Amino acid sequence: MKDPSAAINHHADHPGFSGVTGVLCGLAFLLVGRKKARLAADTAQVSSQDHIVDVGCGPGTAARVAARRGARVTGVDPASTMLRIARLITPRRAPITWSEGTAESLPVTDGSATVVWALATVHHWQDVDKAVAEARRVLAPGGRLIAIERQSPDGATGLASHGWTRQQAESFGALCRDTGFGDVSVAEHGGGKQAAWVVSGTRR
């Protein structure tokens, strides 16, 4: 039998973020998500020409970074608690739309996005195959899918397991290629506790 902990979405059974716990997690994410947000924006080379779909946007840190760089953003999250926090702390004038939804069913029209990114969320997706196909659907030709996950050692448990091993990062890259993405790269970024995998591909 295949080891479920080796799956790309090895935390797909996560109960989600709601109630008081969801609020506390959302506030914590505001503190710890800034570096990944900047990394995503730098990787995507965000500009005013972009429409970015932030999958699993949480309290909206990366969405706000992209908006400050001139992009239009759709922040998507399955947790209404996260979206409430995002709306509360985001200036009304920011070009961001907040929508409840999942990676497998994005509330975005076909071919309307230039970038779809997922920051530390792919390991929670329910159906990775369907979600990657969904990302391809909403991207315009030449648009980019970017996934960033913390580096996790083999056999990690608890909080340390919420990320990807090298094998999981490579598996996600292979899935992107199989789904029709080109120029797929699997790269390491940073070191120590900040080490991350950055997987990106271009919609053909």
Side-chain angles (χ1 to χ4, degrees):
M1 177 179 279
K2 194 170 182 179
D3 180 4
S5 68
I8 298 167
N9 59 338
H10 52 289
H11 284 288
D13 60 351
H14 191 276
F17 301 98
S18 61
V20 174
T21 300
V23 171
L24 293 175
C25 288
L27 295 175
F29 293 163
L30 288 173
L31 299 175
V32 302
R34 294 171 185 166
K35 287 188 177 180
K36 280 191 177 69
R38 290 193 293 269
L39 174 57
D42 290 345
T43 300
Q45 297 182 316
V46 173
S47 76
S48 60
Q49 305 302 308
D50 285 311
H51 171 208
I52 293 170
V53 177
D54 184 351
V55 182
C57 64
T61 302
R64 286 185 292 275
V65 168
R68 285 195 292 270
R69 297 190 186 192
R72 180 167 60 93
V73 186
T74 301
V76 180
D77 202 282
S80 59
T81 298
M82 290 292 176
L83 295 174
R84 279 197 295 273
I85 295 172
R87 290 188 180 101
L88 279 171
I89 64 176
T90 301
R92 288 176 181 259
R93 66 182 181 278
I96 305 174
T97 300
W98 306 108
S99 298
E100 194 166 333
T102 66
E104 298 81 9
S105 183
L106 296 170
V108 182
T109 57
D110 294 2
S112 63
T114 58
V115 177
V116 172
W117 69 35
L119 314 185
T121 65
V122 179
H123 67 278
H124 288 304
W125 289 358
Q126 294 294 307
D127 187 329
V128 182
D129 290 25
K130 186 175 180 180
V132 172
E134 182 72 347
R136 188 176 186 278
R137 176 187 69 78
V138 305
L139 281 167
R144 296 179 70 193
L145 171 62
I146 299 169
I148 298 177
E149 292 277 351
R150 71 187 293 185
Q151 290 186 16
S152 292
D154 292 329
T157 59
L159 184 61
S161 68
H162 283 256
W164 278 342
T165 63
R166 176 180 293 277
Q167 179 185 356
Q168 288 162 336
E170 294 285 359
S171 294
F172 185 75
L175 175 59
C176 291
R177 292 186 191 95
D178 292 344
T179 309
F181 285 89
D183 302 319
V184 175
S185 68
V186 180
E188 298 181 64
H189 184 275
K193 292 183 179 180
Q194 299 300 322
W197 294 107
V198 181
V199 183
S200 64
T202 303
R203 190 211 190 282
R204 292 171 173 160

